[in-house]
Amino acid sequence: MGFTIDDDAGRMVSDECETVAVRWPDRGWTVTGRRGVYSRNQAISAMTVAELLATGDEPDSPLVRTLEAELVPPAYGYVEEDPRG
């Protein structure tokens, strides 16, 4: 399990799932499959949740629930997901 954070390119990508986080010009991050613009730390949490679920963790596991709690509410509010992924 692992994902790569490329701050220069403004992307986080996983080697376990299709989830991608993309940095917006205002420094907020969008994450595939989620509505909202997140802080960098929240985007890391969202990527971790995606990988945990992709590798077999259950949505109600204590770790997944704890990380999900960090994502509510998104740091910058809700927007439609960026179609560029």
Side-chain angles (χ1 to χ4, degrees), residues 45 49 61-71:
S45 293
V49 166
S61 75
L63 179 56
V64 171
R65 287 187 315 192
T66 298
L67 291 170
E68 285 287 356
E70 294 178 7
L71 303 174

Side-chain angles (χ1 to χ4, degrees), residues 4-68:
T4 304
I5 301 172
D6 185 342
D7 282 318
D8 291 333
R11 290 179 69 82
M12 298 180 197
V13 295
S14 170
D15 62 3
E16 296 291 339
C17 61
E18 300 296 316
T19 302
V20 175
V22 177
R23 186 181 63 227
W24 283 39
D26 69 355
R27 309 301 262 177
W29 292 79
T30 55
V31 181
T32 304
R34 293 183 176 266
R35 286 186 60 223
V37 180
Y38 298 92
S39 68
R40 183 178 185 275
N41 288 343
Q42 285 179 311
I44 292 169
S45 293
M47 293 293 294
T48 303
V49 166
E51 287 204 335
L52 287 169
L53 296 174
T55 57
D57 271 58
E58 296 295 323
D60 64 345
S61 75
L63 179 56
V64 171
R65 287 187 315 192
T66 298
L67 291 170
E68 285 287 356

